[in-house]
Amino acid sequence: MEQKFFQEPNSFVGHVNLKVQNLARSVEFYQEIIGFQILEKTERKAVLSADGKTTLLTIEQPDNVKPKQANTSGLYHYAILLPSRLDLAKILKHFIQLNVRLGSSDHLVSEALYLNDPDGNGIEIYIDRPSSTWVWDNDEVAMAVDPLDAQGILAELDDESWDGLPADTVMGHIHLHVSELQKTEEFYSKGLGFNVVNRFGSQALFISTGSYHHHIGLNTWAGVGAPAASEESVGLKSFSLVYPGEQARKKVVEQLQHLGYEVHQENDVFVTKDPSENCIELAI
């Protein structure tokens, strides 16, 4: 994993905040299956970490929570980036031993496993290939959806066993269902300051800073015009974007306001919503 994509001067996803139906069930899944550590836990909320210090995922159980609503904007998946191919091999073997239902893909820039949490929230667990091997055509990076070489990955193992998420695991990216792409692209590029690095037909955009293959994916696969899910629905509550400093964040706030988007300040947190009502915290 190349740390440069997740530090200054780049902007990137810091943590993801999910709503679930049953906190106890989700905590067990995220500890036993995914390998998170619990930083803090109350009756309704748990804060999860890979290194015992940094929050990567928060899960909470709202009052009157409803099951995940189909065909709405919101989370497609969030993606946990592991440091090495050996780490991916360890967790793949762990999933096979537990008979976890998996999808997988080779995206040229990365190798990825896919699964759902107990509420149907999508999770990707992946590793990056070295950025020196990514193929760029002008400002667009080549990505594909090819079969994953699972045998090749498992061949990385001698007899190492899985022991949770490595300490230097990061939140690699988030991929969202949105209701349309034109205003969405304007919001994320001219507002939030990200660059489009891949257009996947007319239905998906991949955007990043610092020439990463993507910090954010945006698609209309839930349907053009898809409505936002209700407040009580399982799914994405919010995610944070980390900016390099106060000046960078101030510039983004001004850009958003100039485009006509509201930004609310709650203590030291600035909160906005994209055109599909996905809630974003602007952090530094």
Side-chain angles (χ1 to χ4, degrees):
M1 180 178 72
E2 296 173 57
Q3 291 288 356
K4 65 183 180 186
F5 297 117
F6 303 95
Q7 60 194 30
E8 292 180 39
N10 294 320
S11 308
F12 49 90
V13 179
H15 80 268
V16 172
N17 192 336
L18 293 181
K19 296 175 286 186
V20 300
Q21 271 195 288
N22 180 319
L23 188 68
R25 176 180 71 174
S26 292
V27 166
E28 183 182 12
F29 170 85
Y30 279 110
Q31 275 189 291
E32 305 298 322
I33 308 290
I34 305 297
F36 276 110
Q37 300 172 37
I38 295 178
L39 275 186
E40 51 188 85
K41 183 171 172 293
T42 61
E43 198 182 334
R44 289 287 182 150
K45 183 174 170 180
V47 179
L48 307 177
S49 171
D51 64 2
K53 302 188 289 274
T54 314
T55 303
L56 293 182
L57 185 71
T58 302
I59 48 176
E60 49 188 281
Q61 181 183 329
D63 292 331
N64 309 315
V65 62
K66 295 185 172 73
K68 189 174 171 68
Q69 291 175 276
N71 304 323
T72 56
S73 59
L75 185 73
Y76 179 52
H77 61 246
Y78 66 87
I80 299 165
L81 176 57
L82 302 178
S84 74
R85 203 167 192 238
L86 176 60
D87 295 313
L88 192 66
K90 285 193 219 174
I91 202 166
L92 175 55
K93 183 183 175 187
H94 162 72
F95 288 154
I96 291 167
Q97 287 170 336
L98 293 180
N99 210 11
V100 173
R101 207 173 148 188
L102 289 177
S104 65
S105 202
D106 183 330
H107 296 302
L108 305 182
V109 293
S110 62
E111 296 179 287
L113 305 173
Y114 294 92
L115 67 160
N116 288 333
D117 79 0
D119 290 283
N121 291 311
I123 306 166
E124 176 182 341
I125 297 176
Y126 75 110
I127 54 156
D128 281 333
R129 288 207 168 91
S131 62
S132 57
T133 67
W134 304 350
V135 177
W136 292 84
D137 181 6
N138 295 321
D139 297 327
E140 188 148 321
V141 66
M143 294 200 282
V145 186
D146 292 339
L148 186 72
D149 178 14
Q151 292 307 326
I153 291 168
L154 291 171
E156 301 275 335
L157 292 165
D158 283 330
D159 51 1
E160 295 91 348
S161 58
W162 178 82
D163 51 1
L165 291 173
D168 40 0
T169 299
V170 297
M171 189 61 74
H173 63 266
I174 193 165
H175 194 150
L176 304 170
H177 287 300
V178 294
S179 57
E180 60 79 62
L181 289 180
Q182 197 176 343
K183 279 186 82 67
T184 300
E185 180 176 340
E186 179 187 69
F187 174 89
Y188 282 93
S189 58
K190 293 183 178 156
L192 293 178
F194 284 77
N195 303 308
V196 176
V197 289
N198 184 285
R199 293 179 193 275
F200 203 74
S202 60
Q203 296 183 318
L205 290 174
F206 295 92
I207 62 174
S208 73
T209 60
S211 298
Y212 189 48
H213 56 73
H214 65 296
H215 290 109
I216 304 173
L218 304 157
N219 75 66
T220 54
W221 299 330
V224 172
S230 74
E231 283 288 310
E232 297 82 34
S233 169
V234 154
L236 181 68
K237 184 176 182 185
S238 64
F239 67 96
S240 76
L241 291 175
V242 181
Y243 286 90
E246 194 58 68
Q247 279 306 106
R249 178 167 69 176
K250 186 167 178 261
K251 183 182 171 198
V252 163
V253 169
E254 286 168 359
Q255 286 170 179
L256 288 168
Q257 289 169 335
H258 178 70
L259 290 170
Y261 294 98
E262 286 183 26
V263 182
H264 300 288
Q265 187 174 353
E266 299 164 13
N267 303 321
D268 189 38
V269 181
F270 291 76
V271 181
T272 189
K273 285 188 173 178
D274 77 6
S276 303
E277 300 287 308
N278 293 307
C279 184
I280 304 162
E281 296 175 3
L282 308 174
I284 51 176

